[in-house]
Amino acid sequence: MQSEKKMALEVQNRSFSSVEQGLNLNSSGGFGSPHKNLDDDGRAKRTGTLLTASAHIITAVIGSGVLSLAWAIAQLGWIAGPAALMAFSVITWFTSTLLADCYRSNGSRNYTYMDVVRANLGGVRIQLCGVAQYGNLIGVSIGYTITASISMAAVERSNCFHRKGHHEKCYTSDTPYMAIFAGIQIFLSQIPNFHKLGWLSIIAAIMSFAYSTIGLGLSIAKIAEGEDVRTSLTGVTVGVDVTATEKLWRTFQALGDIAFAYAFSTVLVEIQDTLKSTPPENSVMKKASFIGVSITTFFYMLCGVLGYAAFGNNAPGNFLTGFGFYDPFWLIDFGNICIAIHLIGAYQVFCQPIFQFVESSSRIRWPQSRFITNEYAVSIPLCGDYHFNLSASCGGLAML
């Protein structure tokens, strides 16, 4: 009798063990698992692709500065100007491939640029790199605010020139347009994270192609007019266009403008963290970097070279907002609107890492604060619920 009871208990224990194993299988990602929508690190599955990563890179790299490259090449000339563009493109692509391999360290993910620094350098260099990264991001964001407002104000000036003539000063204030830009960014700052930013970057990338193409078309049209402009192998001439000191200063400024035009390393890891786990993130990111930098260099080269050919040594700093062209005024207006829309998206690309750092730090320090943690749902017709966070709104306003 005792042996029969013992056998029954063993069968019962085996049954319980089988059920437990089945439950463990389901909880680890089997069929019907609640974790099937999570990545290997327990976070929501990344959905980024080669297309969205390339769009993020193009949005981050191509800024309205593409229209000032004619000025940069005018300072350097036909030899050093294109050579500098090619050199910085190769350097940018090579360093981006190195940084892409740093996304995973010993199998674990580094979600941000600072996580990469922490995993590979450590010590006081974390603080130094943090100051450098976030200082750069804040500076770029401020620059985008100013440039976008200038582009919006340029539309008003263009219409004024069309009505009153090119000889008029047509002064317009940028301040109201900064306020408009700020209102748009407060709304867009509610985008929860970089992973939800793909649609905005695609729109911004399209806008960058649009105004770059407009600049190219207008340059080609000006070249076709056959107007005599003065260019040279070494750029602006000492004693004719500038003094020796101005030549030296402008040369370094032009090199700095070109180098800055390629910078996107401060957001590369954050872009890579949006990619799906398969194929490997570093492989996709390297391809995206190559595509993004190649397309950027192509447009940079065309805009710079053709812009210099159109304006010569008198190339303006930006021939859309600086009115190197006046007509057709509607095309100038459209180009400046494209610049503003692009910078609206680019602002978010550079600000999302700052928002993430501030919000995560605030949640850790004040976990009970309803101001920081609470979200409020507002129903918007045809768009569904819009989740509004007061701290994110204040953070976006503070950035502006």
Side-chain angles (χ1 to χ4, degrees):
M1 181 66 68
Q2 291 179 350
S3 60
E4 290 179 357
K5 289 182 178 180
K6 185 176 180 180
M7 289 177 64
L9 287 172
E10 289 177 356
V11 170
Q12 189 178 24
N13 289 336
R14 283 197 297 269
S15 298
F16 285 140
S17 177
S18 299
V19 171
E20 185 178 5
Q21 288 176 2
L23 292 173
N24 288 337
L25 177 62
N26 285 336
S27 65
S28 62
F31 181 75
S33 167
H35 301 292
K36 63 182 179 180
N37 293 323
L38 301 180
D39 263 332
D40 56 344
D41 58 348
R43 297 192 177 189
K45 270 193 178 299
R46 278 88 168 165
T47 57
T49 62
L50 179 64
L51 173 63
T52 59
S54 300
H56 284 317
I57 292 171
I58 292 170
T59 301
V61 177
I62 297 183
S64 61
V66 66
L67 301 177
S68 66
L69 290 176
W71 179 89
I73 292 185
Q75 312 313 308
L76 300 173
W78 284 119
I79 298 176
L85 281 172
M86 288 302 301
F88 282 112
S89 69
V90 172
I91 293 170
T92 301
W93 170 76
F94 177 70
T95 54
S96 67
T97 61
L98 298 179
L99 191 55
D101 285 331
C102 296
Y103 176 65
R104 287 185 181 266
S105 299
N106 299 322
S108 61
R109 298 173 186 262
N110 295 309
Y111 304 111
T112 65
Y113 179 84
M114 289 309 302
D115 288 339
V116 170
V117 174
R118 189 174 292 105
N120 292 277
L121 297 179
V124 71
R125 287 169 288 191
I126 298 174
Q127 287 74 25
L128 294 176
C129 289
V131 171
Q133 183 198 17
Y134 293 117
N136 179 274
L137 293 176
I138 292 171
V140 170
S141 302
I142 293 172
Y144 282 172
T145 303
I146 296 170
T147 306
S149 65
I150 291 173
S151 295
M152 289 187 276
V155 175
E156 183 180 344
R157 290 186 65 199
S158 175
N159 294 330
C160 175
F161 288 133
H162 180 68
R163 292 193 310 268
K164 300 181 180 180
H166 302 167
H167 60 279
E168 293 290 332
K169 292 184 178 180
C170 289
Y171 172 77
T172 56
S173 174
D174 301 336
T175 305
Y177 296 102
M178 286 188 186
I180 293 172
F181 186 85
I184 295 171
Q185 294 302 338
I186 289 174
F187 178 80
L188 292 177
S189 293
Q190 300 303 314
I191 296 174
N193 50 50
F194 225 130
H195 307 271
K196 306 295 183 181
L197 205 61
W199 64 272
L200 184 61
S201 284
I202 291 174
I203 293 174
I206 293 172
M207 292 298 102
S208 67
F209 291 141
Y211 67 72
S212 298
T213 303
I214 290 171
L216 286 174
L218 292 173
S219 296
I220 292 172
K222 189 172 181 64
I223 294 170
E225 291 176 358
E227 184 179 344
D228 186 26
V229 295
R230 186 165 48 84
T231 63
S232 67
L233 294 178
T234 56
V236 292
T237 307
V238 175
V240 178
D241 303 303
V242 293
T243 64
T245 303
E246 288 175 333
K247 173 69 174 180
L248 181 62
W249 174 254
R250 289 189 178 192
T251 298
F252 285 120
Q253 186 178 350
L255 290 173
D257 288 349
I258 294 173
F260 184 74
Y262 278 104
F264 75 103
S265 61
T266 50
V267 293
L268 184 145
V269 178
E270 284 79 359
I271 293 173
Q272 189 170 350
D273 190 46
T274 66
L275 295 173
K276 296 177 181 178
S277 300
T278 53
E281 302 92 349
N282 63 336
S283 174
V284 176
M285 195 62 196
K286 289 177 182 179
K287 293 178 182 178
S289 297
F290 180 79
I291 292 171
V293 173
S294 298
I295 292 174
T296 299
T297 302
F298 176 75
F299 272 91
Y300 279 7
M301 194 67 71
L302 285 179
C303 288
V305 169
L306 291 179
Y308 183 41
F311 293 99
N313 291 346
N314 295 320
N318 186 315
F319 49 66
L320 285 183
T321 60
F323 291 95
F325 303 103
Y326 289 94
D327 295 303
F329 79 98
W330 60 269
L331 189 59
I332 306 299
D333 289 351
F334 181 70
N336 280 303
I337 291 171
C338 289
I339 292 175
I341 294 174
H342 170 243
L343 294 181
I344 286 171
Y347 181 95
Q348 284 297 316
V349 169
F350 279 89
C351 276
Q352 282 291 331
I354 302 173
F355 293 155
Q356 181 184 7
F357 171 75
V358 173
E359 289 173 11
S360 60
S361 300
S362 299
R363 288 176 186 272
I364 293 172
R365 186 166 183 177
W366 300 290
Q368 305 301 324
S369 173
R370 298 177 61 185
F371 174 76
I372 294 172
T373 59
N374 280 16
E375 289 190 352
Y376 305 92
V378 178
S379 181
I380 300 177
L382 304 178
C383 297
D385 289 339
Y386 171 72
H387 294 276
F388 186 81
N389 181 271
L390 293 175
S391 65
S393 301
C394 292
L397 184 60
M399 280 295 300
L400 293 159

